[in-house]
PDB file of all heavy atoms in Angstrom:
ATOM      1  N   TYR A 296      34.937 -17.418  27.781  1.00 94.00           N
ATOM      2  CA  TYR A 296      33.982 -16.848  26.826  1.00 94.00           C
ATOM      3  C   TYR A 296      34.420 -16.965  25.364  1.00 94.00           C
ATOM      4  O   TYR A 296      33.846 -16.300  24.501  1.00 94.00           O
ATOM      5  CB  TYR A 296      33.756 -15.366  27.160  1.00 94.00           C
ATOM      6  CG  TYR A 296      33.120 -15.139  28.518  1.00 94.00           C
ATOM      7  CD1 TYR A 296      33.867 -14.621  29.577  1.00 94.00           C
ATOM      8  CD2 TYR A 296      31.785 -15.458  28.743  1.00 94.00           C
ATOM      9  CE1 TYR A 296      33.299 -14.409  30.825  1.00 94.00           C
ATOM     10  CE2 TYR A 296      31.198 -15.241  29.991  1.00 94.00           C
ATOM     11  CZ  TYR A 296      31.967 -14.724  31.030  1.00 94.00           C
ATOM     12  OH  TYR A 296      31.393 -14.519  32.258  1.00 94.00           O
ATOM     13  N   THR A 297      35.396 -17.805  25.080  1.00 92.00           N
ATOM     14  CA  THR A 297      35.847 -17.958  23.692  1.00 92.00           C
ATOM     15  C   THR A 297      34.701 -18.358  22.775  1.00 92.00           C
ATOM     16  O   THR A 297      34.551 -17.831  21.669  1.00 92.00           O
ATOM     17  CB  THR A 297      36.968 -19.013  23.601  1.00 92.00           C
ATOM     18  OG1 THR A 297      38.112 -18.546  24.316  1.00 92.00           O
ATOM     19  CG2 THR A 297      37.366 -19.252  22.153  1.00 92.00           C
ATOM     20  N   ASP A 298      33.887 -19.305  23.210  1.00 91.00           N
ATOM     21  CA  ASP A 298      32.805 -19.799  22.365  1.00 91.00           C
ATOM     22  C   ASP A 298      31.758 -18.728  22.074  1.00 91.00           C
ATOM     23  O   ASP A 298      30.985 -18.858  21.123  1.00 91.00           O
ATOM     24  CB  ASP A 298      32.130 -21.012  23.018  1.00 91.00           C
ATOM     25  CG  ASP A 298      33.031 -22.237  23.029  1.00 91.00           C
ATOM     26  OD1 ASP A 298      34.107 -22.171  22.392  1.00 91.00           O
ATOM     27  OD2 ASP A 298      32.678 -23.236  23.676  1.00 91.00           O
ATOM     28  N   GLN A 299      31.736 -17.671  22.882  1.00 92.00           N
ATOM     29  CA  GLN A 299      30.815 -16.561  22.638  1.00 92.00           C
ATOM     30  C   GLN A 299      31.449 -15.470  21.786  1.00 92.00           C
ATOM     31  O   GLN A 299      30.857 -14.405  21.602  1.00 92.00           O
ATOM     32  CB  GLN A 299      30.320 -15.986  23.972  1.00 92.00           C
ATOM     33  CG  GLN A 299      29.537 -16.992  24.806  1.00 92.00           C
ATOM     34  CD  GLN A 299      29.024 -16.392  26.091  1.00 92.00           C
ATOM     35  OE1 GLN A 299      28.612 -15.231  26.132  1.00 92.00           O
ATOM     36  NE2 GLN A 299      29.047 -17.167  27.169  1.00 92.00           N
ATOM     37  N   GLY A 300      32.650 -15.744  21.275  1.00 92.00           N
ATOM     38  CA  GLY A 300      33.288 -14.811  20.357  1.00 92.00           C
ATOM     39  C   GLY A 300      34.257 -13.847  20.992  1.00 92.00           C
ATOM     40  O   GLY A 300      34.662 -12.866  20.356  1.00 92.00           O
ATOM     41  N   LEU A 301      34.676 -14.088  22.239  1.00 95.00           N
ATOM     42  CA  LEU A 301      35.624 -13.184  22.892  1.00 95.00           C
ATOM     43  C   LEU A 301      37.051 -13.547  22.503  1.00 95.00           C
ATOM     44  O   LEU A 301      37.429 -14.724  22.496  1.00 95.00           O
ATOM     45  CB  LEU A 301      35.464 -13.258  24.417  1.00 95.00           C
ATOM     46  CG  LEU A 301      36.262 -12.219  25.215  1.00 95.00           C
ATOM     47  CD1 LEU A 301      35.755 -10.808  24.916  1.00 95.00           C
ATOM     48  CD2 LEU A 301      36.168 -12.511  26.720  1.00 95.00           C
ATOM     49  N   ARG A 302      37.861 -12.532  22.191  1.00 95.00           N
ATOM     50  CA  ARG A 302      39.254 -12.713  21.829  1.00 95.00           C
ATOM     51  C   ARG A 302      40.124 -11.731  22.617  1.00 95.00           C
ATOM     52  O   ARG A 302      39.654 -10.673  23.030  1.00 95.00           O
ATOM     53  CB  ARG A 302      39.473 -12.479  20.324  1.00 95.00           C
ATOM     54  CG  ARG A 302      38.680 -13.398  19.419  1.00 95.00           C
ATOM     55  CD  ARG A 302      39.171 -14.834  19.487  1.00 95.00           C
ATOM     56  NE  ARG A 302      38.485 -15.686  18.535  1.00 95.00           N
ATOM     57  CZ  ARG A 302      37.365 -16.364  18.789  1.00 95.00           C
ATOM     58  NH1 ARG A 302      36.799 -16.258  19.992  1.00 95.00           N
ATOM     59  NH2 ARG A 302      36.819 -17.123  17.879  1.00 95.00           N
ATOM     60  N   LEU A 303      41.363 -12.116  22.807  1.00 96.00           N
ATOM     61  CA  LEU A 303      42.318 -11.261  23.521  1.00 96.00           C
ATOM     62  C   LEU A 303      43.433 -10.856  22.575  1.00 96.00           C
ATOM     63  O   LEU A 303      43.987 -11.694  21.861  1.00 96.00           O
ATOM     64  CB  LEU A 303      42.909 -12.019  24.718  1.00 96.00           C
ATOM     65  CG  LEU A 303      43.796 -11.211  25.673  1.00 96.00           C
ATOM     66  CD1 LEU A 303      42.927 -10.310  26.541  1.00 96.00           C
ATOM     67  CD2 LEU A 303      44.618 -12.141  26.561  1.00 96.00           C
ATOM     68  N   VAL A 304      43.777  -9.573  22.576  1.00 97.00           N
ATOM     69  CA  VAL A 304      44.910  -9.069  21.800  1.00 97.00           C
ATOM     70  C   VAL A 304      45.924  -8.494  22.781  1.00 97.00           C
ATOM     71  O   VAL A 304      45.685  -7.452  23.399  1.00 97.00           O
ATOM     72  CB  VAL A 304      44.469  -7.990  20.782  1.00 97.00           C
ATOM     73  CG1 VAL A 304      45.687  -7.453  20.039  1.00 97.00           C
ATOM     74  CG2 VAL A 304      43.454  -8.546  19.808  1.00 97.00           C
ATOM     75  N   GLU A 305      47.038  -9.175  22.947  1.00 96.00           N
ATOM     76  CA  GLU A 305      48.077  -8.703  23.858  1.00 96.00           C
ATOM     77  C   GLU A 305      48.913  -7.617  23.169  1.00 96.00           C
ATOM     78  O   GLU A 305      49.403  -7.816  22.055  1.00 96.00           O
ATOM     79  CB  GLU A 305      48.994  -9.857  24.273  1.00 96.00           C
ATOM     80  CG  GLU A 305      48.326 -10.866  25.198  1.00 96.00           C
ATOM     81  CD  GLU A 305      49.312 -11.885  25.735  1.00 96.00           C
ATOM     82  OE1 GLU A 305      50.444 -11.973  25.196  1.00 96.00           O
ATOM     83  OE2 GLU A 305      48.968 -12.584  26.698  1.00 96.00           O
ATOM     84  N   VAL A 306      49.074  -6.508  23.859  1.00 95.00           N
ATOM     85  CA  VAL A 306      49.875  -5.398  23.340  1.00 95.00           C
ATOM     86  C   VAL A 306      50.923  -5.044  24.388  1.00 95.00           C
ATOM     87  O   VAL A 306      50.578  -4.665  25.509  1.00 95.00           O
ATOM     88  CB  VAL A 306      49.002  -4.165  23.026  1.00 95.00           C
ATOM     89  CG1 VAL A 306      49.872  -3.024  22.485  1.00 95.00           C
ATOM     90  CG2 VAL A 306      47.908  -4.519  22.028  1.00 95.00           C
ATOM     91  N   ARG A 307      52.181  -5.201  24.044  1.00 93.00           N
ATOM     92  CA  ARG A 307      53.246  -4.835  24.974  1.00 93.00           C
ATOM     93  C   ARG A 307      53.290  -3.319  25.146  1.00 93.00           C
ATOM     94  O   ARG A 307      52.933  -2.557  24.246  1.00 93.00           O
ATOM     95  CB  ARG A 307      54.583  -5.370  24.467  1.00 93.00           C
ATOM     96  CG  ARG A 307      54.712  -6.868  24.657  1.00 93.00           C
ATOM     97  CD  ARG A 307      55.765  -7.488  23.775  1.00 93.00           C
ATOM     98  NE  ARG A 307      57.055  -6.802  23.855  1.00 93.00           N
ATOM     99  CZ  ARG A 307      58.115  -7.167  23.139  1.00 93.00           C
ATOM    100  NH1 ARG A 307      58.032  -8.182  22.301  1.00 93.00           N
ATOM    101  NH2 ARG A 307      59.247  -6.504  23.245  1.00 93.00           N
ATOM    102  N   ARG A 308      53.757  -2.903  26.307  1.00 88.00           N
ATOM    103  CA  ARG A 308      53.713  -1.481  26.653  1.00 88.00           C
ATOM    104  C   ARG A 308      54.451  -0.617  25.629  1.00 88.00           C
ATOM    105  O   ARG A 308      54.019   0.499  25.313  1.00 88.00           O
ATOM    106  CB  ARG A 308      54.305  -1.276  28.045  1.00 88.00           C
ATOM    107  CG  ARG A 308      54.032   0.096  28.633  1.00 88.00           C
ATOM    108  CD  ARG A 308      54.564   0.182  30.046  1.00 88.00           C
ATOM    109  NE  ARG A 308      56.021   0.095  30.086  1.00 88.00           N
ATOM    110  CZ  ARG A 308      56.826   1.124  29.897  1.00 88.00           C
ATOM    111  NH1 ARG A 308      56.322   2.322  29.636  1.00 88.00           N
ATOM    112  NH2 ARG A 308      58.139   0.981  29.958  1.00 88.00           N
ATOM    113  N   GLU A 309      55.560  -1.151  25.084  1.00 88.00           N
ATOM    114  CA  GLU A 309      56.331  -0.337  24.135  1.00 88.00           C
ATOM    115  C   GLU A 309      55.608  -0.131  22.808  1.00 88.00           C
ATOM    116  O   GLU A 309      56.025   0.685  21.991  1.00 88.00           O
ATOM    117  CB  GLU A 309      57.703  -0.958  23.889  1.00 88.00           C
ATOM    118  CG  GLU A 309      57.670  -2.377  23.378  1.00 88.00           C
ATOM    119  CD  GLU A 309      57.846  -3.389  24.493  1.00 88.00           C
ATOM    120  OE1 GLU A 309      57.291  -3.151  25.589  1.00 88.00           O
ATOM    121  OE2 GLU A 309      58.512  -4.416  24.263  1.00 88.00           O
ATOM    122  N   TYR A 310      54.523  -0.876  22.583  1.00 92.00           N
ATOM    123  CA  TYR A 310      53.777  -0.734  21.326  1.00 92.00           C
ATOM    124  C   TYR A 310      52.454   0.021  21.511  1.00 92.00           C
ATOM    125  O   TYR A 310      51.592   0.005  20.633  1.00 92.00           O
ATOM    126  CB  TYR A 310      53.480  -2.110  20.731  1.00 92.00           C
ATOM    127  CG  TYR A 310      54.707  -2.883  20.314  1.00 92.00           C
ATOM    128  CD1 TYR A 310      54.815  -4.254  20.549  1.00 92.00           C
ATOM    129  CD2 TYR A 310      55.784  -2.243  19.702  1.00 92.00           C
ATOM    130  CE1 TYR A 310      55.950  -4.967  20.173  1.00 92.00           C
ATOM    131  CE2 TYR A 310      56.922  -2.948  19.333  1.00 92.00           C
ATOM    132  CZ  TYR A 310      56.993  -4.310  19.572  1.00 92.00           C
ATOM    133  OH  TYR A 310      58.120  -5.006  19.206  1.00 92.00           O
ATOM    134  N   ILE A 311      52.304   0.699  22.632  1.00 91.00           N
ATOM    135  CA  ILE A 311      51.064   1.440  22.869  1.00 91.00           C
ATOM    136  C   ILE A 311      50.844   2.501  21.800  1.00 91.00           C
ATOM    137  O   ILE A 311      49.710   2.804  21.423  1.00 91.00           O
ATOM    138  CB  ILE A 311      51.082   2.060  24.284  1.00 91.00           C
ATOM    139  CG1 ILE A 311      50.854   0.956  25.322  1.00 91.00           C
ATOM    140  CG2 ILE A 311      50.033   3.146  24.433  1.00 91.00           C
ATOM    141  CD1 ILE A 311      50.916   1.432  26.752  1.00 91.00           C
ATOM    142  N   GLY A 312      51.925   3.035  21.267  1.00 90.00           N
ATOM    143  CA  GLY A 312      51.782   4.012  20.191  1.00 90.00           C
ATOM    144  C   GLY A 312      51.144   3.446  18.941  1.00 90.00           C
ATOM    145  O   GLY A 312      50.689   4.197  18.069  1.00 90.00           O
ATOM    146  N   ASP A 313      51.083   2.106  18.841  1.00 93.00           N
ATOM    147  CA  ASP A 313      50.475   1.454  17.674  1.00 93.00           C
ATOM    148  C   ASP A 313      48.978   1.216  17.846  1.00 93.00           C
ATOM    149  O   ASP A 313      48.344   0.623  16.961  1.00 93.00           O
ATOM    150  CB  ASP A 313      51.147   0.091  17.407  1.00 93.00           C
ATOM    151  CG  ASP A 313      52.597   0.228  16.985  1.00 93.00           C
ATOM    152  OD1 ASP A 313      52.979   1.317  16.518  1.00 93.00           O
ATOM    153  OD2 ASP A 313      53.346  -0.762  17.121  1.00 93.00           O
ATOM    154  N   LEU A 314      48.402   1.639  18.959  1.00 92.00           N
ATOM    155  CA  LEU A 314      46.986   1.331  19.222  1.00 92.00           C
ATOM    156  C   LEU A 314      46.045   1.754  18.093  1.00 92.00           C
ATOM    157  O   LEU A 314      45.123   1.008  17.753  1.00 92.00           O
ATOM    158  CB  LEU A 314      46.560   1.974  20.546  1.00 92.00           C
ATOM    159  CG  LEU A 314      47.001   1.223  21.815  1.00 92.00           C
ATOM    160  CD1 LEU A 314      46.679   2.030  23.064  1.00 92.00           C
ATOM    161  CD2 LEU A 314      46.341  -0.145  21.880  1.00 92.00           C
ATOM    162  N   PRO A 315      46.229   2.930  17.467  1.00 91.00           N
ATOM    163  CA  PRO A 315      45.335   3.273  16.352  1.00 91.00           C
ATOM    164  C   PRO A 315      45.392   2.262  15.207  1.00 91.00           C
ATOM    165  O   PRO A 315      44.354   1.904  14.639  1.00 91.00           O
ATOM    166  CB  PRO A 315      45.838   4.651  15.907  1.00 91.00           C
ATOM    167  CG  PRO A 315      46.473   5.230  17.130  1.00 91.00           C
ATOM    168  CD  PRO A 315      47.105   4.067  17.822  1.00 91.00           C
ATOM    169  N   GLN A 316      46.594   1.762  14.882  1.00 93.00           N
ATOM    170  CA  GLN A 316      46.713   0.754  13.818  1.00 93.00           C
ATOM    171  C   GLN A 316      46.078  -0.577  14.245  1.00 93.00           C
ATOM    172  O   GLN A 316      45.452  -1.273  13.441  1.00 93.00           O
ATOM    173  CB  GLN A 316      48.185   0.514  13.468  1.00 93.00           C
ATOM    174  CG  GLN A 316      48.877   1.722  12.843  1.00 93.00           C
ATOM    175  CD  GLN A 316      49.608   2.564  13.884  1.00 93.00           C
ATOM    176  OE1 GLN A 316      49.007   3.039  14.841  1.00 93.00           O
ATOM    177  NE2 GLN A 316      50.915   2.728  13.690  1.00 93.00           N
ATOM    178  N   ILE A 317      46.245  -0.929  15.504  1.00 94.00           N
ATOM    179  CA  ILE A 317      45.669  -2.181  16.007  1.00 94.00           C
ATOM    180  C   ILE A 317      44.155  -2.132  15.917  1.00 94.00           C
ATOM    181  O   ILE A 317      43.503  -3.051  15.413  1.00 94.00           O
ATOM    182  CB  ILE A 317      46.115  -2.429  17.457  1.00 94.00           C
ATOM    183  CG1 ILE A 317      47.636  -2.603  17.529  1.00 94.00           C
ATOM    184  CG2 ILE A 317      45.411  -3.655  18.037  1.00 94.00           C
ATOM    185  CD1 ILE A 317      48.192  -2.612  18.942  1.00 94.00           C
ATOM    186  N   VAL A 318      43.588  -1.047  16.395  1.00 93.00           N
ATOM    187  CA  VAL A 318      42.128  -0.903  16.378  1.00 93.00           C
ATOM    188  C   VAL A 318      41.608  -0.901  14.948  1.00 93.00           C
ATOM    189  O   VAL A 318      40.553  -1.472  14.653  1.00 93.00           O
ATOM    190  CB  VAL A 318      41.709   0.376  17.128  1.00 93.00           C
ATOM    191  CG1 VAL A 318      40.232   0.675  16.926  1.00 93.00           C
ATOM    192  CG2 VAL A 318      42.020   0.231  18.615  1.00 93.00           C
ATOM    193  N   ALA A 319      42.365  -0.306  14.035  1.00 92.00           N
ATOM    194  CA  ALA A 319      41.941  -0.276  12.627  1.00 92.00           C
ATOM    195  C   ALA A 319      41.853  -1.692  12.063  1.00 92.00           C
ATOM    196  O   ALA A 319      40.956  -1.997  11.266  1.00 92.00           O
ATOM    197  CB  ALA A 319      42.907   0.565  11.808  1.00 92.00           C
ATOM    198  N   GLN A 320      42.784  -2.572  12.469  1.00 93.00           N
ATOM    199  CA  GLN A 320      42.747  -3.944  11.980  1.00 93.00           C
ATOM    200  C   GLN A 320      41.609  -4.755  12.591  1.00 93.00           C
ATOM    201  O   GLN A 320      41.161  -5.744  12.016  1.00 93.00           O
ATOM    202  CB  GLN A 320      44.083  -4.646  12.257  1.00 93.00           C
ATOM    203  CG  GLN A 320      45.230  -4.112  11.425  1.00 93.00           C
ATOM    204  CD  GLN A 320      46.445  -5.028  11.435  1.00 93.00           C
ATOM    205  OE1 GLN A 320      46.328  -6.232  11.624  1.00 93.00           O
ATOM    206  NE2 GLN A 320      47.619  -4.459  11.206  1.00 93.00           N
ATOM    207  N   LEU A 321      41.135  -4.348  13.760  1.00 93.00           N
ATOM    208  CA  LEU A 321      40.043  -5.066  14.424  1.00 93.00           C
ATOM    209  C   LEU A 321      38.674  -4.560  13.995  1.00 93.00           C
ATOM    210  O   LEU A 321      37.665  -5.241  14.216  1.00 93.00           O
ATOM    211  CB  LEU A 321      40.175  -4.927  15.947  1.00 93.00           C
ATOM    212  CG  LEU A 321      41.485  -5.433  16.559  1.00 93.00           C
ATOM    213  CD1 LEU A 321      41.487  -5.223  18.062  1.00 93.00           C
ATOM    214  CD2 LEU A 321      41.718  -6.895  16.217  1.00 93.00           C
ATOM    215  N   ARG A 322      38.636  -3.394  13.401  1.00 90.00           N
ATOM    216  CA  ARG A 322      37.353  -2.828  12.953  1.00 90.00           C
ATOM    217  C   ARG A 322      36.731  -3.738  11.893  1.00 90.00           C
ATOM    218  O   ARG A 322      37.403  -4.294  11.045  1.00 90.00           O
ATOM    219  CB  ARG A 322      37.578  -1.426  12.385  1.00 90.00           C
ATOM    220  CG  ARG A 322      36.290  -0.680  12.047  1.00 90.00           C
ATOM    221  CD  ARG A 322      36.600   0.695  11.464  1.00 90.00           C
ATOM    222  NE  ARG A 322      37.231   1.560  12.446  1.00 90.00           N
ATOM    223  CZ  ARG A 322      36.573   2.269  13.362  1.00 90.00           C
ATOM    224  NH1 ARG A 322      35.254   2.207  13.418  1.00 90.00           N
ATOM    225  NH2 ARG A 322      37.235   3.035  14.205  1.00 90.00           N
TER     226      ARG A 322
END
Side-chain angles (χ1 to χ4, degrees):
Y296 296 108
T297 295
D298 290 352
Q299 298 182 38
L301 188 65
R302 300 291 185 270
L303 187 75
V304 178
E305 290 188 346
V306 180
R307 286 160 51 181
R308 193 176 66 84
E309 57 263 39
Y310 295 139
I311 286 177
D313 294 339
L314 282 173
Q316 294 94 302
I317 297 170
V318 170
Q320 291 195 27
L321 302 179
R322 187 181 294 277

